[in-house]
Amino acid sequence: MSKGPWLDDDEQKAWRSYLLMQRTLETHLERHLQRDFGLSKSDFEILVNLSESEHGRMRAFELGRSTQWEKSRLSHHLSRMEKRGLIRKEACESRYPEIVITEDGLAAIRECAPAHAARVREFFVDVFGPERFAMLGEAADEVVEAVGKHCETDCALGS
Amino acid sequence: MSKGPWLDDDEQKAWRSYLLMQRTLETHLERHLQRDFGLSKSDFEILVNLSESEHGRMRAFELGRSTQWEKSRLSHHLSRMEKRGLIRKEACESRYPEIVITEDGLAAIRECAPAHAARVREFFVDVFGPERFAMLGEAADEVVEAVGKHCETDCALGS
DNA sequence: AGAGTTAGGTTGATGTGTCAACCCTAGCGT
DNA sequence: ACGCTAGGGTTGACACATCAACCTAACTCT
């Protein structure tokens, strides 16, 4: 019933393959992170950003910029992470607190990052192989740009 | 701080490009669906499956098989969709109800599918172009298989 | 000085996903 | 007949995401 004008068969097939890969990979990685280290994908993302910053400390809006999260999501999540002792909010000269990674947070990310990277390599990087993987990287950048461009004009026109 | 043994630079870069693309594309498509048609990605997925089935009706566990959702998520979501009039649960000879797409549900999916497909084509299919897109499809299947294979042995060993 | 506006952040309500526990029936072995 | 397990499904509690509303300080414009 309702075989629409959707995508044609080849497009359809590859698109669904992509969707399936994306879901499969994401659930697998997320499960692993959660099961073996008690971290969610979101925790991981925050901790990676903090651990890569100069002194393990950033302002919330910087985290917002790198993660692309909405500010309310960020605020909520940081509160939860603080409650769990992974980060802490520290007053500084500016009006707003800095977000600082704690010892526990640092230990957590140091422990799980290698295992996580290994899984990414095993199931994604190595399966693609260097050429296809590089190609994917380029195409991905183009897609991001395309969507970005559209949204600019979109907002300009108020669409 | 903490520049770990993670992925090497090229890998890192392409991997992050992929992650960014995936997030960008997903939020964009989801927003569009929600804003213009009041449907979430999850609603869409269920409605697509139902509308492609023989008579717009399936058993819940069949939906579970095609969507790969956990049964509790499915159950919750179907209840919400029923409340909104997109589907209905209909008793049949077997002990369990069949999930049936309603007129409203059918209208919704018929209305939004072409627009959704157009966006997928514009920002993804066409940006990749036929060769790269086909290549992605193949690689995606391989990734799914790799993860699948791992999970089998994983479960067999109780890891 | 006083009235908008903007940027950085928090809060609360609501919708959604996950996990574990549970219910019910059918099939199986004894 | 008895107990076991497995399959299909629901439920409740909790974690998380989203949206709109709000707060406060700073910046602008007059």
Side-chain angles (χ1 to χ4, degrees):
Chain A
M1 118 176 257
S2 183
K3 32 213 160 308
W6 309 32
L7 301 171
D8 69 41
D9 283 2
D10 290 356
E11 292 171 345
Q12 188 75 261
K13 186 170 172 310
W15 170 244
R16 297 206 172 178
S17 291
Y18 165 76
L19 287 181
L20 183 57
M21 170 189 77
Q22 136 36 26
R23 215 171 29 198
T24 304
L25 199 58
E26 187 171 358
T27 24
H28 177 72
L29 292 175
E30 219 157 330
R31 281 256 255 262
H32 171 246
L33 234 41
Q34 184 68 54
R35 192 155 102 335
D36 293 3
F37 303 100
L39 293 180
S40 70
K41 180 183 140 200
S42 305
D43 299 332
F44 185 79
E45 207 174 338
I46 295 295
L47 293 178
V48 165
N49 274 282
L50 285 176
S51 73
E52 284 176 349
S53 75
E54 284 313 305
H55 302 87
R57 59 179 59 227
M58 294 170 87
R59 288 280 305 279
F61 80 97
E62 299 180 273
L63 280 169
R65 192 163 11 76
S66 10
T67 57
Q68 310 255 69
W69 292 4
E70 312 197 355
K71 55 184 183 174
S72 70
R73 174 184 176 188
L74 186 58
S75 178
H76 282 305
H77 201 78
L78 290 177
S79 301
R80 284 177 234 133
M81 287 183 76
E82 186 173 29
K83 227 165 275 168
R84 293 193 288 143
L86 295 169
I87 59 155
R88 102 188 146 256
K89 302 178 186 175
E90 205 166 83
C92 67
E93 68 275 8
S94 109
R95 172 153 82 98
Y96 301 110
E98 280 186 320
I99 311 302
V100 189
I101 191 169
T102 61
E103 281 307 314
D104 284 5
L106 205 47
I109 192 72
R110 287 223 175 99
E111 197 193 348
C112 79
H116 184 72
R119 274 179 142 76
V120 170
R121 191 179 285 112
E122 177 178 4
F123 296 119
F124 195 68
V125 183
D126 288 353
V127 172
F128 266 76
E131 338 71 19
R132 287 195 297 183
F133 191 56
M135 177 159 291
L136 173 70
E138 293 168 28
D141 290 340
E142 295 170 31
V143 168
V144 171
E145 200 191 353
V147 176
K149 207 163 277 175
H150 170 85
C151 289
E152 283 170 28
T153 69
D154 212 40
C155 297
L157 301 174
S159 162
Chain B
M1 112 176 263
S2 182
K3 35 220 160 301
W6 309 31
L7 299 171
D8 68 42
D9 283 1
D10 290 356
E11 293 170 344
Q12 187 75 260
K13 185 170 172 308
W15 169 243
R16 296 205 173 178
S17 291
Y18 165 76
L19 287 180
L20 184 58
M21 170 188 79
Q22 141 26 31
R23 215 172 29 198
T24 304
L25 199 59
E26 186 170 358
T27 22
H28 177 73
L29 292 175
E30 219 158 330
R31 281 258 254 261
H32 171 245
L33 233 42
Q34 185 68 53
R35 193 156 101 337
D36 293 4
F37 304 100
L39 292 180
S40 70
K41 182 183 139 201
S42 305
D43 299 333
F44 185 80
E45 207 173 338
I46 295 295
L47 292 178
V48 165
N49 274 282
L50 284 176
S51 72
E52 283 176 349
S53 75
E54 285 312 306
H55 302 87
R57 60 179 57 227
M58 293 170 87
R59 287 280 306 278
F61 80 97
E62 298 180 274
L63 280 168
R65 192 162 11 78
S66 9
T67 58
Q68 308 255 71
W69 292 3
E70 312 197 356
K71 55 184 184 174
S72 71
R73 173 185 177 187
L74 186 59
S75 178
H76 283 306
H77 201 77
L78 290 178
S79 302
R80 286 175 230 135
M81 289 182 73
E82 185 172 29
K83 227 165 273 167
R84 293 193 288 142
L86 294 169
I87 59 153
R88 117 188 132 251
K89 302 179 186 175
E90 206 166 82
C92 65
E93 68 274 8
S94 109
R95 174 152 81 98
Y96 300 111
E98 279 185 322
I99 311 302
V100 188
I101 191 168
T102 61
E103 280 308 314
D104 284 5
L106 205 49
I109 192 71
R110 287 221 174 101
E111 197 193 349
C112 80
H116 184 72
R119 273 179 142 76
V120 170
R121 191 178 284 113
E122 177 178 3
F123 296 118
F124 196 68
V125 183
D126 288 354
V127 172
F128 265 76
E131 338 69 20
R132 287 195 298 183
F133 192 56
M135 178 159 290
L136 173 69
E138 293 168 29
D141 290 339
E142 294 170 32
V143 169
V144 170
E145 200 191 352
V147 176
K149 206 164 278 174
H150 170 85
C151 289
E152 282 171 29
T153 68
D154 212 40
C155 298
L157 300 173
S159 163

